[in-house]
Amino acid sequence: GNSVTQMEGPVTLSEEAFLTINCTYTATGYPSLFWYVQYPGEGLQLLLKATKADDKGSNKGFEATYRKETTSFHLEKGSVQVSDSAVYFCALSRSGGSYIPTFGRGTSLIVHP
Amino acid sequence: DAGITQSPRHKVTETGTPVTLRCHQTENHRYMYWYRQDPGHGLRLIHYSYGVKDTDKGEVSDGYSVSRSKTEDFLLTLESATSSQTSVYFCATYTGTETTGELFFGEGSRLTVL
């Protein structure tokens, strides 16, 4: 079945550091890939997505490229801010009529001034 | 913003009492979901709905029931709350195609069972 594996956190960085959060997946068919972000005390919200191989999703300075050959969708940002402190979830869509995305367990990011 | 409102936002209850959490949406989305979030487990799907009166179980449905009598409302009921059901509960709706659509989440309901 489908699965998503994320690097365990927390990831702790200083402000302006480079961020990478790894995400790999197992899936049948041609899923879309997503990154959701959860700020403290809030629900998840979509950060970016890519719907086919080699697509790059981007938003708020974050980027991720859909790599079918390595089954990966790593999240990157060139210069993190304190306000980026949150939990990040990688997810993939599921085909077959279920409309139920598969989520990774989430990676906590802590950015220090 | 998909206009999702969860109530109550916080609740403390005793073991063995019934609890109902309500999710209300204003966007007329067909699909609605209840998740629970616990440290070390990420998000886990409890139940979901694909239309009025159409619901199905998720991966952690034991001890929970749901009802959807109107498109806009999706209720989660704990018939007899247990301490293991202490968690943060999130409602979500889905919009878009099966493979490219996205989830919209409410702000969560924190439930403590003593």
Side-chain angles (χ1 to χ4, degrees), chain B residues 57-87:
Chain B
K57 297 178 180 180
E59 60 184 298
V60 290
S61 59
D62 287 349
Y64 302 94
S65 62
V66 290
S67 65
R68 191 161 177 210
S69 59
K70 297 185 290 185
T71 298
E72 58 265 37
D73 290 327
F74 192 33
L75 304 181
L76 176 70
T77 297
L78 292 65
E79 301 290 349
S80 178
T82 67
S83 58
S84 65
Q85 293 176 311
T86 293
S87 186

Side-chain angles (χ1 to χ4, degrees), chain B residues 4-112:
Chain B
I4 299 173
T5 304
Q6 292 185 229
S7 60
R9 295 289 314 280
H10 300 273
K11 186 171 181 67
V12 180
T13 192
E14 301 272 334
T15 296
T17 59
V19 175
T20 295
L21 305 180
R22 179 178 183 249
C23 177
H24 179 78
Q25 58 132 337
T26 60
E27 299 296 316
N28 202 37
H29 291 162
R30 178 184 173 191
Y31 289 85
M32 297 186 74
Y33 311 78
W34 277 107
Y35 289 91
R36 60 179 288 174
Q37 184 176 29
D38 305 286
H41 292 278
L43 282 176
R44 292 184 289 178
L45 181 65
I46 305 171
H47 281 281
Y48 65 99
S49 169
Y50 45 96
V52 174
K53 299 192 189 304
D54 291 322
T55 65
D56 208 345
K57 297 178 180 180
E59 60 184 298
V60 290
S61 59
D62 287 349
Y64 302 94
S65 62
V66 290
S67 65
R68 191 161 177 210
S69 59
K70 297 185 290 185
T71 298
E72 58 265 37
D73 290 327
F74 192 33
L75 304 181
L76 176 70
T77 297
L78 292 65
E79 301 290 349
S80 178
T82 67
S83 58
S84 65
Q85 293 176 311
T86 293
S87 186
V88 181
Y89 293 85
F90 288 96
C91 174
T93 67
Y94 190 99
T95 185
T97 70
E98 180 186 6
T99 54
T100 65
E102 67 178 270
L103 288 168
F104 293 93
F105 286 82
E107 295 196 338
S109 296
R110 180 174 296 276
L111 176 67
T112 302

Side-chain angles (χ1 to χ4, degrees), chain A residues 36-45 60 62 81-89 107-111, chain B residues 9-10 37 88 90 106-110:
Chain A
Y36 286 82
V37 59
Q38 183 182 30
Y39 298 105
E42 299 183 8
L44 283 70
Q45 58 185 274
K60 299 182 180 180
F62 291 88
Q81 305 300 310
V82 172
S83 57
D84 294 325
S85 298
V87 180
Y88 293 82
F89 292 87
T107 302
S108 175
L109 170 66
I110 301 169
V111 181
Chain B
R9 295 289 314 280
H10 300 273
Q37 184 176 29
V88 181
F90 288 96
E107 295 196 338
S109 296
R110 180 174 296 276

Side-chain angles (χ1 to χ4, degrees), chain A residues 16-97:
Chain A
E16 299 184 2
F18 184 85
L19 168 70
T20 300
I21 299 178
N22 291 337
C23 171
T24 57
Y25 68 91
T26 302
T28 57
Y30 303 95
S32 296
L33 298 171
F34 306 82
W35 278 101
Y36 286 82
V37 59
Q38 183 182 30
Y39 298 105
E42 299 183 8
L44 283 70
Q45 58 185 274
L46 181 67
L47 178 60
L48 55 83
K49 71 178 182 182
T51 59
K52 61 183 187 295
D54 300 324
D55 266 3
K56 177 185 286 187
S58 62
N59 186 24
K60 299 182 180 180
F62 291 88
E63 294 182 339
T65 301
Y66 188 158
R67 301 286 189 199
K68 194 168 177 65
E69 63 277 12
T70 55
T71 62
S72 65
F73 192 55
H74 304 322
L75 182 68
E76 297 182 335
K77 187 176 186 183
S79 176
V80 294
Q81 305 300 310
V82 172
S83 57
D84 294 325
S85 298
V87 180
Y88 293 82
F89 292 87
C90 185
L92 63 85
S93 61
R94 189 188 299 183
S95 60

